[in-house]
Amino acid sequence: MKTITDFNFENKKVLIRVDFNVPLDNEFNVTDTSRIEAAKPTIIKVLEDGGSVVLMSHLGRPKGKVNQDLSLQHICQTVSEVIGVQVKFSSECTGESVENVVAELNMGEVLLLENLRFHAEETNGDKDFAEQLSKLGDIYINDAFGTAHRAHASTTVVAQFFPENKCFGLLLAKEIDAIEKVMQTGEKPILAILGGAKVSSKITIIENILDKVDHLIIGGGMTYTFIKAQGGKVGESICEDDKMDLALSILKKAKEKGVEVHIPVDVLAANDFSNDAETKIIDVDKIENGWQGLDAGPRTLENFKKVILASKTILWNGPVGVFEMEKFALGTKAIGNYIDEATKNGAFSLVGGGDSVAAVKQFGFADKVSYVSTGGGAMLESLEGKTLPGIAAIEG
Ligand code: AMP
């Protein structure tokens, strides 16, 4: 894996694809700077070597049209404050005027380009647009994991114009490393905890992961499809009747591959999908009509705890309950605490994909696990075993 540590950037103009798709409030202030902070080490390495930096990113979904509400100019000052260098701004991404600005850029200076997605060519992966972008740097760095699963001009296509001079930024390298630690080189026993709402959205991950893990915990709304498929009563719980055969075939495959599957035995059930609902703890397969399972029960959590504490590598994707409502967040918090304990005991823990990161941040676990992925969709596709085009373009 070629990363920025393999290069000396002295006197080089460096084109970096970052993910500055940050949230803005009504007055266009950045409300969460995490993505800018995440790209900072790569930018600083280039500047400290004596290079200059051209940053490119998208913001929101302008769908190929100029939309001043989504201009990256709004974030220019925040980027300057985070990286400690006054960042210049170019309202053009390509063309003579920006090429001239780049030609004048001194070592130690940083230029931020306007939102790439003001041009439909970006998301279309247009080769000419990518070639134009490539004129803005001697070396190309991809440090945007959040868009690594997209074959866009700036994330993938542009790399072909830097056959030798392309590499991963520190953030993207960390993401790749974390995925490899779980999927290829992880110390055994390896555990995947898969929660969330539906089997259908996780099926490709489950199928891929069965070849990699020793234990699989299934939690959250997915549980009930498995329980009903085995003849249990799930009441009003979320359940995909058309996925019951699939659930049984997953259990069969897991058995053939020697993967131990752990499914809830009891649940916190409610008589309404509401934080004000009446609740009770019952066996997972005896949920009466009018009731639905919305969180893992205490016996389940005890079982899960044992498996988590015995694991050396842990992947967590998806909450085990409706964590957005306080009454049904206890299970997800408990899982976070067990992973925290396992991590303190030396396990490697990776949290990522879809909504998992929101739950982890909300409950303050982000600093307690080994790694929290920055890319929801990109992480999901990695866990599904897909090769991400943004990664392949640097490796190829
Ligand atoms: P996902 O994006 O697939 O990881 O799903 C996350 C969502 O699953 C969260 O919004 C949770 O509220 C939801 N969820 C977790 N457990 C349950 C459950 N037992 N019933 C309904 N929804 C659930």
Side-chain angles (χ1 to χ4, degrees):
M1 175 161 70
K2 218 166 166 186
T3 75
I4 62 169
T5 50
D6 298 309
F7 285 83
N8 184 330
F9 297 100
E10 191 175 2
N11 286 323
K12 301 287 183 205
K13 302 210 158 143
V14 186
L15 180 64
I16 312 181
R17 177 51 157 106
V18 287
D19 180 2
F20 284 174
N21 185 25
V22 292
L24 300 177
D25 65 16
N26 290 340
E27 283 161 359
F28 304 110
N29 299 306
V30 178
T31 54
D32 180 352
T33 57
S34 333
R35 287 186 170 162
I36 303 171
E37 312 265 359
K40 181 177 173 180
T42 294
I43 299 167
I44 296 296
K45 150 81 174 147
V46 174
L47 297 178
E48 282 184 353
D49 275 4
S52 57
V53 169
V54 178
L55 296 172
M56 53 179 179
S57 176
H58 73 285
L59 176 62
R61 296 187 171 177
K63 303 205 167 134
K65 292 201 183 81
V66 175
N67 174 348
Q68 285 310 324
D69 286 357
L70 297 174
S71 170
L72 278 167
Q73 187 153 24
H74 298 305
I75 77 159
C76 204
Q77 190 48 34
T78 307
V79 177
S80 304
E81 283 158 20
V82 170
I83 65 174
V85 172
Q86 191 57 48
V87 174
K88 297 182 171 180
F89 181 73
S90 164
S91 54
E92 306 287 337
C93 302
T94 57
E96 214 174 303
S97 77
V98 65
E99 283 170 31
N100 289 337
V101 175
V102 171
E104 305 267 295
L105 209 58
N106 293 315
M107 299 309 134
E109 290 190 320
V110 180
L111 176 72
L112 173 64
L113 304 183
E114 181 55 289
N115 192 340
L116 292 159
R117 291 196 190 164
F118 284 180
H119 305 268
E121 293 89 340
E122 162 64 359
T123 47
N124 293 341
D126 185 87
K127 199 171 166 184
D128 292 337
F129 183 69
E131 189 172 12
Q132 294 294 313
L133 290 173
S134 76
K135 292 182 183 166
L136 307 178
D138 308 312
I139 300 175
Y140 167 69
I141 298 176
N142 189 353
D143 209 18
F145 182 67
T147 47
H149 58 315
R150 307 280 184 219
H152 293 170
S154 70
T155 63
T156 303
V157 187
V158 71
Q160 65 190 266
F161 299 102
F162 299 87
E164 299 302 325
N165 292 328
K166 57 183 177 179
C167 63
F168 295 113
L170 293 172
L171 172 67
L172 190 37
K174 263 200 285 183
E175 294 275 357
I176 295 170
D177 196 45
I179 296 163
E180 276 180 5
K181 272 198 183 125
V182 172
M183 307 293 266
Q184 287 163 29
T185 59
E187 193 183 337
K188 284 172 167 281
I190 303 177
L191 161 69
I193 305 167
L194 297 181
K198 290 181 169 178
V199 180
S200 51
S201 64
K202 300 285 159 91
I203 182 63
T204 328
I205 297 184
I206 300 178
E207 283 176 341
N208 184 44
I209 220 127
L210 284 179
D211 287 323
K212 326 272 180 198
V213 302
D214 306 295
H215 294 267
L216 173 63
I217 285 181
I218 288 178
M222 280 203 290
T223 307
Y224 307 99
T225 305
F226 284 86
I227 296 298
K228 191 167 172 187
Q230 291 173 288
K233 278 174 61 185
V234 299
E236 318 304 321
S237 308
I238 185 171
C239 182
E240 292 168 282
D241 287 351
D242 59 334
K243 295 288 178 294
M244 291 200 297
D245 288 344
L246 195 61
L248 291 177
S249 87
I250 289 169
L251 294 176
K252 188 163 166 262
K253 265 191 215 156
K255 204 168 182 186
E256 286 163 7
K257 290 177 192 283
V259 178
E260 267 189 61
V261 181
H262 309 269
I263 298 181
V265 290
D266 61 348
V267 293
L268 180 63
N271 63 354
D272 192 13
F273 189 82
S274 152
N275 209 25
D276 303 321
E278 227 179 278
T279 59
K280 60 181 177 182
I281 288 162
I282 43 175
D283 287 352
V284 69
D285 56 352
K286 298 187 184 63
I287 307 175
E288 307 97 324
N289 291 344
W291 290 80
Q292 54 188 303
L294 294 182
D295 198 6
R299 280 192 295 129
T300 299
L301 290 173
E302 266 314 302
N303 292 346
F304 288 180
K305 181 179 182 180
K306 283 189 203 122
V307 184
I308 293 170
L309 291 183
S311 298
K312 287 281 173 223
T313 304
I314 302 165
L315 162 74
W316 184 19
N317 171 280
V320 298
V322 183
F323 73 98
E324 296 91 337
M325 291 189 240
E326 203 187 340
K327 231 177 196 167
F328 311 108
L330 283 177
T332 300
K333 283 188 203 168
I335 297 291
N337 282 327
Y338 306 150
I339 297 178
D340 177 20
E341 201 175 330
T343 309
K344 283 196 181 113
N345 292 339
F348 176 81
S349 52
L350 165 64
V351 179
D355 267 352
S356 324
V357 176
V360 161
K361 279 191 177 168
Q362 184 176 326
F363 301 135
F365 292 123
D367 298 333
K368 296 176 176 169
V369 297
S370 310
Y371 194 73
V372 181
S373 174
T374 57
M379 178 54 74
L380 285 180
E381 292 199 13
S382 302
L383 299 176
E384 286 172 355
K386 292 184 187 149
T387 306
L388 308 188
I391 292 176
I394 298 284
E395 285 172 340

